[in-house]
């Protein structure tokens, strides 16, 4: 049968699950051997697979185990900056001990998102701490005062890779009290043999706080470690810094907008959503010109016609922001971005080219489906088209997502593990998303929003739209405010009767699950 008439099924999702288990490192988490990359799309696939079976008689607990072991080992290893927050690019060894020290915005965006999901799924305090510390690092070191997020921090400083991040025992003893040094040295591995050239240590969580022999109680150990960490980080800030690439790339900013909005939601931290809004507003003001995006901003100048990833990732980030706090102008902007994708990037045979139809002519006009260092632009485009298509009743969007999945179907069937982002879109196509639209005063309905947003439900999105929001597009125009608050619950295009109190809302969502 032809590609366009093939039946779309869960078969690639099941096969990807098998492939991920085959490449899973059961000793140290992650997938494959050294050099070892974090592969957040693999972890996202496994969390989604577990969640789809969580209510079943035999939930896929091994999928959850593979995801959480990977998250735990990366967070406690040298891939993670134990003092400053954020992740390095990859590990040169199998055990996540020594990284390549470059820090990329896109890696940290994808990992911030998946750690937020891991925290929502499990309540594991380690994951919540990693989310908060990584988001704090982004706000502190990687956000321009004008709002955009910077691209990278180099691996080298003073001509040596990793120099900025390395420590000696003498430095710990000089900066810290005797008790702080004892606890920090044991925890961060300085009581073990040096793990870097020149008798230096790259920090990792060698001994869990609960197992420290140098502490009298867990509470005391945590307080001592927090104090030591603050002093070490303050001292590190005075060192010669690695170079920072201060370009603002729209695609990577789109990924980070999504990540910060997701972190804001799971941690209940409004400041992180404010950070994401500042990036979105900067892009709209500086890089959205004549109904088209530009891709890059540096030295007060916006340059280069934007690519598929710029449009898709930014639209996805805006939708995530809408889930945290409604702003009608973000919905308008997201729809404008998708409309440009449909008009300028779509292949009539399905899927999206990487460049627009009026881009400079290339020998080959690529149409990438697989995930690479960043998620697949086609996969993210399909996800957000399905999300907004069902929310607004916009069949053009849903049809375009289906055409993308059909065009990618041979690749999905043959190499599903390499197409995690498109597999997430396939899930959303086969089981249309559940949208909960709440109308009323957001402050008065905060407990409704908390309830609907709680836990890990990748198939559900909720939006609290103020009662005074006017001229809403598509189906949203029919979700009228009523009384003190009302919730509309729809699975795809099928909607239940509206509910007017939290108890009814909770009962209805339980019956849906």
């Amino acid at each position: 049968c032809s590609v366009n008439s093939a039946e779309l099924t869960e078969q690639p999702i099941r096969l990807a699950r098998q492939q991920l288990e085959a490449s899973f490192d059961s000793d140290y988490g992650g997938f494959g051997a050294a050099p070892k990359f974090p592969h957040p799309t693999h972890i996202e696939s496994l969390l989604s697979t577990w969640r789809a079976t969580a209510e079943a008689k035999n939930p896929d607990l091994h999928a959850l185990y593979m995801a959480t072991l990977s998250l735990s080992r990366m967070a406690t290893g040298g891939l993670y900056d134990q003092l400053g927050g954020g992740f390095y690019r990859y590990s040169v060894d199998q055990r996540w001990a020594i990284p390549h020290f470059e820090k990329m915005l896109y890696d940290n965006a994808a990992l911030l998102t998946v750690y937020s999901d891991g925290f929502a799924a499990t309540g594991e305090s380690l994951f919540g701490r990693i989310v908060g510390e990584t988001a704090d690092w982004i706000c502190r070191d990687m956000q321009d005062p004008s709002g955009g997020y910077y691209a990278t921090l180099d691996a080298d400083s003073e001509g040596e890779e990793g120099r900025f991040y390395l420590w000696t025992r003498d430095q710990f003893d000089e900066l810290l009290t005797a008790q702080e040094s004892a606890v920090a040295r044991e925890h961060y591995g300085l009581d073990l043999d040096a793990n870097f050239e020149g008798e230096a240590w790259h920090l990792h969580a060698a001994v869990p706080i609960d197992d420290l022999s140098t502490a009298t109680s867990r509470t005391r150990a945590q307080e001592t470690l927090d104090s030591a960490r603050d002093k070490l980080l303050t001292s590190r800030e005075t060192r010669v810094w690695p170079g920072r690439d201060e370009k603002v790339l729209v695609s990577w900013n789109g990924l980070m907008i999504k990540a910060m909005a997701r972190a804001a939601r799971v941690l209940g931290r409004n400041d992180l959503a404010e950070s994401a809004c500042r990036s979105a507003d900067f892009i709209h003001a500086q890089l959205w010109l004549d109904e088209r995006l530009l891709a890059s901003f540096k030295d007060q100048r916006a340059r280069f016609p934007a690519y598929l990833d710029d449009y898709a990732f930014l639209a996805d980030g805006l939708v995530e922001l809408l889930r945290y706090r409604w702003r009608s102008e973000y919905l308008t902007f997201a729809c404008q971005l998708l409309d440009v994708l449909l008009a300028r990037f779509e292949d009539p045979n399905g899927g999206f080219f990487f460049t627009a139809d009026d881009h400079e002519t290339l020998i080959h006009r690529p149409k990438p489906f697989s995930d690479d260092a960043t998620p697949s632009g086609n996969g993210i485009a399909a996800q957000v088209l399905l999300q907004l298509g069902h929310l607004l009743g916009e069949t053009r969007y849903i049809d375009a997502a289906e055409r993308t999945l059909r065009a990618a179907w041979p690749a999905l069937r043959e190499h599903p593990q390499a197409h995690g982002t498109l597999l997430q879109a396939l899930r959303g196509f086969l089981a249309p998303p559940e949208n909960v639209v709440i109308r009323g005063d957001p402050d008065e309905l905060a407990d409704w929003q908390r309830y609907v947003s709680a836990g890990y439900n990748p198939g559900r999105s909720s939006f609290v739209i103020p009662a005074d929001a006017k001229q809403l597009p598509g189906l949203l125009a029919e979700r009228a405010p009523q009384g003190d608050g009302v919730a509309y619950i729809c699975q795809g295009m099928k909607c239940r009767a509206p509910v007017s109190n939290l108890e009814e809302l909770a009962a209805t969502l339980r019956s849906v699950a």
Side-chain angles (χ1 to χ4, degrees):
C1 66
S2 74
V3 170
N4 288 336
S5 63
E7 183 187 2
L8 301 179
T9 69
E10 287 190 354
Q11 186 261 344
I13 296 172
R14 290 193 292 269
L15 181 55
R17 163 70 177 77
Q18 295 169 13
Q19 290 177 337
L20 289 175
E21 183 165 4
S23 65
F24 175 65
D25 182 344
S26 57
D27 292 322
Y28 301 105
F31 307 90
K36 207 162 178 185
F37 289 82
H39 293 300
T41 52
H42 292 356
I43 299 171
E44 180 185 38
S45 289
L46 290 170
L47 286 174
S48 295
T49 294
W50 162 72
R51 186 64 187 86
T53 65
E55 319 289 336
K57 187 176 179 184
N58 295 305
D60 190 347
L61 294 177
H62 193 61
L64 180 63
Y65 171 76
M66 289 189 281
T68 53
L69 181 71
S70 300
L71 292 172
S72 297
R73 290 299 170 87
M74 290 191 298
T76 55
L79 187 76
Y80 182 69
D81 181 351
Q82 301 293 334
L83 296 184
F87 290 86
Y88 308 105
R89 192 153 172 236
Y90 62 85
S91 174
V92 300
D93 61 278
Q94 186 185 358
R95 297 178 293 117
W96 306 112
I98 302 299
H100 173 55
F101 284 90
E102 193 173 19
K103 285 184 173 182
M104 314 295 290
L105 189 71
Y106 63 77
D107 284 328
N108 281 281
L111 286 163
L112 184 53
T113 301
V114 81
Y115 273 90
S116 295
D117 288 346
F119 181 55
T122 65
E124 170 58 57
S125 60
L126 170 64
F127 301 160
R129 177 171 67 80
I130 297 301
V131 171
E133 290 174 2
T134 299
D136 287 342
W137 164 67
I138 291 291
C139 293
R140 185 178 69 240
D141 292 348
M142 296 299 284
Q143 188 162 28
D144 190 87
S146 61
Y149 297 114
Y150 300 139
T152 65
L153 268 183
D154 291 347
D156 299 5
S157 57
E158 301 183 79
E160 294 178 26
E161 178 169 348
R163 180 176 179 129
F164 183 73
Y165 301 102
L166 302 177
W167 294 91
T168 65
R169 290 170 177 164
D170 287 347
Q171 288 170 325
F172 267 47
D173 292 342
E174 287 165 17
L175 290 165
L176 307 176
T177 68
Q179 180 63 16
E180 288 168 348
S181 185
V183 168
R185 278 172 56 161
E186 185 181 10
H187 176 66
Y188 288 129
L190 273 73
D191 286 349
L192 307 173
D193 290 340
N195 62 6
F196 212 82
E197 303 111 20
E199 286 302 298
W201 280 262
H202 173 54
L203 307 187
H204 65 289
V207 180
I209 288 178
D210 289 337
D211 299 336
L212 291 174
S213 63
T214 47
T216 52
S217 71
R218 190 189 197 287
T219 303
R220 187 83 184 105
Q222 188 64 64
E223 290 172 354
T224 305
L225 194 60
D226 288 345
S227 173
R229 183 170 172 260
D230 287 345
K231 290 179 181 178
L232 293 168
L233 184 60
T234 299
S235 174
R236 196 178 81 179
E237 300 281 289
T238 67
R239 296 178 177 180
V240 175
W241 273 59
R244 182 168 62 188
D245 183 348
E246 298 188 352
K247 275 198 305 291
V248 174
L249 299 173
V250 170
S251 58
W252 298 4
N253 271 252
L255 294 173
M256 188 54 76
I257 289 167
K258 175 181 182 174
M260 295 295 264
R262 183 79 55 93
R265 188 153 51 83
V266 302
L267 296 182
R269 280 186 54 181
N270 190 54
D271 61 315
L272 304 184
E274 293 292 343
S275 168
C277 288
R278 288 174 53 226
S279 172
D281 294 344
F282 173 80
I283 291 169
H284 191 266
Q286 299 293 338
L287 291 121
W288 178 248
L289 303 168
D290 301 324
E291 304 296 301
R292 297 291 288 274
L293 265 182
L294 294 170
S296 174
F297 189 92
K298 179 84 185 289
D299 299 328
Q300 300 304 306
R301 185 179 169 204
R303 304 176 66 187
F304 310 120
Y307 302 94
L308 164 63
D309 291 1
D310 299 299
Y311 285 91
F313 296 175
L314 181 57
D316 194 36
L318 291 168
V319 172
E320 190 70 35
L321 262 178
L322 289 170
R323 295 175 66 186
Y324 182 81
R325 184 195 303 113
W326 188 266
R327 279 176 57 174
S328 292
E329 58 266 36
Y330 286 167
L331 177 63
T332 301
F333 191 17
C335 290
Q336 289 173 318
L337 295 168
L338 294 185
D339 289 343
V340 175
L341 277 185
L342 294 181
R344 296 290 188 173
F345 289 80
E346 193 179 14
D347 181 348
N349 297 314
F352 296 92
F353 292 110
F354 191 65
T355 55
D357 58 2
D358 56 355
H359 197 90
E360 65 180 278
T361 305
L362 305 173
I363 296 171
H364 168 62
R365 193 179 175 204
K367 189 171 68 171
F369 288 131
S370 62
D371 298 318
D372 196 19
T374 54
S376 158
N378 270 285
I380 295 294
Q383 288 181 34
V384 73
L385 284 162
L386 286 167
Q387 173 70 72
L388 286 183
H390 285 105
L391 182 69
L392 302 177
E394 182 56 86
T395 54
R396 289 185 309 130
Y397 291 173
I398 298 169
D399 292 346
E402 180 177 356
R403 288 192 296 270
T404 302
L405 288 168
R406 291 191 179 284
W409 190 243
L412 285 177
R413 290 183 60 188
E414 198 161 332
H415 304 290
Q417 181 180 345
H419 297 83
T421 307
L422 272 164
L423 292 183
Q424 292 296 95
L426 179 62
R427 290 176 193 276
F429 177 77
L430 296 173
E434 179 184 60
N435 282 312
V436 183
V437 175
I438 299 169
R439 296 298 307 271
D441 182 330
D443 292 333
E444 297 289 324
L445 299 173
D447 51 345
W448 293 34
Q449 184 170 18
R450 272 193 298 274
Y451 181 84
V452 176
S453 298
Y456 173 63
N457 295 290
R460 175 192 297 164
S461 293
S462 59
F463 305 88
V464 180
I465 305 179
D468 59 2
K470 299 285 192 290
Q471 294 181 308
L472 294 170
L475 289 181
L476 287 181
E478 301 172 18
R479 314 284 183 243
Q482 297 177 20
D484 293 331
V486 61
Y488 299 87
I489 303 164
C490 301
Q491 189 90 37
M493 299 289 190
K494 297 177 184 170
C495 298
R496 294 171 172 255
V499 299
S500 56
N501 61 63
L502 183 54
E503 291 71 26
E504 259 188 294
L505 175 59
T508 305
L509 290 177
R510 281 197 298 271
S511 71
V512 170

